[in-house]
Each structure stands twice: as C-alpha cells, then as structure tokens.
Amino acid sequence: MESATLHFLSQLAANNNRDWFQENRKHYDAAKADMEKLVGYLIEEVGKFQDLGNLQVKECLLRINRDIRFSKNKAPYKNNLSAGIGPGGKSAGKIDYYLQIQPGDQTFLGGGMWETTSEQLARYRQEIDYNADELKAIIEDEKFKAYFPEIQGDALKTVPKGYSKDHPEIELLKRKQLFFVHRFTDKEVASRDFGKHVLKGIELLKPFADYMNYVLYEQPTEH
C-alpha cells in the first residue's frame, strides 16, 4: 500500500465530514485505487489455490460510507478501507478473508464465525460435541497459532443448553463467535511486500475458513 493511503485515512479520521471529504475527493480516489490494486493482486494469487470463480475486485470492496441510521456516531465515513475476499465476494454470506486497512497499527486480516443464526450455532456446537479434533488440529497448529495467537469474539458466561459443564470441550462450546485476527503495523502496510504478507495469512486461514463454512453452511444438521 502507498503511504499516502494511510495518510489520507489518518486525515479522514480527524476531518470526518462531507465537506472535507468532497474537497479531498482526489486523495480518496487515489487511496481507493491503491486498495483495488491490492485486492486485485490477492484475487489473482488466492485463485491459484482456491476456486474464486470469476471474482471481481468491485465484488470484494466495502463502501467507505457508514450506515448512520441507527448509530449514535453520525460520522459519515469509516476510518478504514476494507474488503471481503472469497467465493462470491463480500455479499456471499459465507466466511471469507476480511482485510481492513486502518492507520495507527490497526490494519488486520481476519476471518471466522461472527454473525451467526441460532441454527448455525447449533450446527457448530453439534460438530464440536461430535468431534472437536478436526477444528483443534487447525487452530492449535504451530504455524497458525503463531500468526493468529488467540480467539476473538464473544462467548457465553454459562454452559450452553443441552451440554454439561464437565464437557472436555466446554470452552469451545461456549463460543458465540470464533474469529481470528492478525494485525499489521503501518510500516508493514507501507512496505513493498505487504501483499505477500497478507497472502501468507490467507493461506494459513484457509483451512479454518473451509472448516467453518462446511460446519455452518454445508453439513447436514444431524450425523
């Protein structure tokens, strides 16, 4: 990424209003083009080891405009550029590789179970109860854990209905969200090899994303 992209986003955070944005539209356009170039590179490279179909860059990019209808925060723009890369793009409704570019060492690559239905949570817990070894082999792998050190997201404070507090996988069963994140410094983002670093993270994340997509969207509800 160009350092100018991070600079624009920093300036936007300090001047988050429509007048300033319109006056600096050319800087936004340059930052967006920079993001498009990165996403285009990632689509091409990920496509070498995962079938992305005819995925287009525009299908991955999220809008910079915020939905402020139900928010107390009325700032009209996000302070970041973001994309969801995976089969079908950002609107596929499945787990993808989420990349968010945000200055202040806040850039991250992430993926996992985040917004789930009660049926999907039931599927997940059924799978963990039946056989947690497959998931644990992925997320406890040495390389995965070094890159994605801890589980992110919410968990129940009590035992989920239908399961014993003595269950050997009770901590995984309590999860309502199961998300992994790797953060990048601004220096890393502005480096020439940033795209390759993100690609490495996607390769590590793929087995987890594949597993969760199967559990949440593809597997039968009963074994």
Side-chain angles (χ1 to χ4, degrees):
M1 300 291 290
E2 299 289 340
S3 57
T5 297
L6 292 174
H7 179 70
F8 166 77
L9 291 170
S10 294
Q11 292 293 301
L12 177 59
N15 302 276
N16 201 322
N17 62 79
R18 288 183 175 85
D19 288 343
W20 183 90
F21 190 87
Q22 291 305 322
E23 289 170 8
N24 290 271
R25 184 84 197 194
K26 66 178 182 180
H27 299 301
Y28 164 67
D29 290 341
K32 184 182 177 187
D34 192 26
M35 184 70 171
E36 288 172 343
K37 182 180 177 182
L38 173 62
V39 172
Y41 164 79
L42 292 172
I43 289 173
E44 183 177 352
E45 294 302 313
V46 173
K48 294 175 181 178
F49 57 82
Q50 180 172 356
D51 183 7
L52 296 177
N54 189 31
L55 185 64
Q56 303 296 306
V57 170
K58 65 182 179 181
E59 295 175 296
C60 300
L61 294 180
L62 281 78
R63 299 176 73 234
I64 198 167
N65 302 74
R66 294 182 62 249
D67 184 351
I68 60 175
R69 291 173 298 172
F70 308 108
S71 175
K72 291 181 180 179
N73 177 4
K74 298 302 180 183
Y77 306 105
K78 300 172 187 173
N79 297 331
N80 59 70
L81 294 171
S82 55
I85 300 168
K90 64 187 178 188
S91 301
K94 292 191 176 182
I95 291 166
D96 56 15
Y97 314 114
Y98 177 75
L99 177 64
Q100 182 167 303
I101 308 296
Q102 186 168 338
D105 298 340
Q106 295 300 304
T107 294
F108 70 88
L109 169 71
M113 181 172 72
W114 195 255
E115 294 180 343
T116 53
T117 65
S118 55
E119 181 188 355
Q120 288 169 337
L121 265 180
R123 283 171 175 254
Y124 162 74
R125 288 180 177 137
Q126 174 183 287
E127 188 65 24
I128 295 303
D129 182 43
Y130 176 71
N131 175 23
D133 290 347
E134 188 175 352
L135 173 61
K136 289 168 71 177
I138 295 169
I139 65 176
E140 294 177 3
D141 175 80
E142 195 173 308
K143 289 182 179 178
F144 185 93
K145 204 153 188 172
Y147 202 84
F148 300 104
E150 58 187 38
I151 297 173
Q152 307 283 327
D154 294 336
L156 293 173
K157 290 183 171 61
T158 56
V159 178
K161 188 176 179 180
Y163 296 96
S164 166
K165 65 180 180 180
D166 300 324
H167 195 290
E169 308 300 343
I170 191 60
E171 293 307 315
L172 281 174
L173 288 169
K174 284 181 179 180
R175 302 302 312 183
K176 294 191 291 181
Q177 297 171 326
L178 191 70
F179 198 87
F180 289 92
V181 163
H182 179 85
R183 297 194 180 278
F184 299 92
T185 65
D186 290 354
K187 185 177 179 180
E188 288 173 320
V189 176
S191 72
R192 185 177 295 177
D193 292 331
F194 178 58
K196 292 180 181 178
H197 292 314
V198 176
L199 185 64
K200 172 193 171 184
I202 288 175
E203 289 185 51
L204 287 170
L205 198 54
K206 183 181 183 296
F208 173 66
D210 288 346
Y211 172 87
M212 294 306 300
N213 274 321
Y214 170 74
V215 169
L216 298 181
Y217 299 102
E218 299 166 20
Q219 72 157 346
T221 53
E222 294 185 6
H223 291 283

